[in-house]
Amino acid sequence: MNFYGHSVFAAEREASEPFVLGSMLPDFEGMIGCRATGYRDETLRAGVAFHHRTDEVFHSAPVFVGLCARGVRELV
């Protein structure tokens, strides 16, 4: 469901369909085990870049890092 969160954030920034789709593509690629390259549409590429910038911010957030660490400890 991570792709859904990306779509919500993306739509708040730019509601165009290619941008929102681009914001979800990296997660879809991970789900099917492939990496696509060479997106021709500039807005789609901007959405993919937005996905990666969002992940950089979110994955370094102290709350997220703490929750991940807690989850790992509990699983171990």
Side-chain angles (χ1 to χ4, degrees), residues 1-20:
M1 294 284 291
N2 190 36
F3 63 88
Y4 177 74
H6 279 285
S7 73
V8 170
F9 283 122
E12 288 180 6
R13 176 159 183 144
E14 181 179 328
S16 75
E17 292 165 352
F19 187 81
V20 175

Side-chain angles (χ1 to χ4, degrees), residues 21-37:
L21 175 61
S23 77
M24 297 186 290
L25 281 177
D27 288 339
F28 292 155
E29 292 170 351
M31 292 165 76
I32 64 171
C34 78
R35 288 288 173 233
T37 59

Side-chain angles (χ1 to χ4, degrees), residues 1-74:
M1 294 284 291
N2 190 36
F3 63 88
Y4 177 74
H6 279 285
S7 73
V8 170
F9 283 122
E12 288 180 6
R13 176 159 183 144
E14 181 179 328
S16 75
E17 292 165 352
F19 187 81
V20 175
L21 175 61
S23 77
M24 297 186 290
L25 281 177
D27 288 339
F28 292 155
E29 292 170 351
M31 292 165 76
I32 64 171
C34 78
R35 288 288 173 233
T37 59
Y39 297 117
R40 295 179 190 168
D41 185 88
E42 183 177 329
T43 307
L44 189 76
R45 285 194 312 270
V48 171
F50 183 76
H51 173 104
H52 293 302
R53 286 192 309 274
T54 302
D55 274 356
E56 287 173 9
V57 171
F58 186 75
H59 291 180
S60 65
V63 171
F64 179 78
V65 172
L67 288 170
C68 285
R70 178 180 170 191
V72 168
R73 283 193 306 272
E74 290 187 22

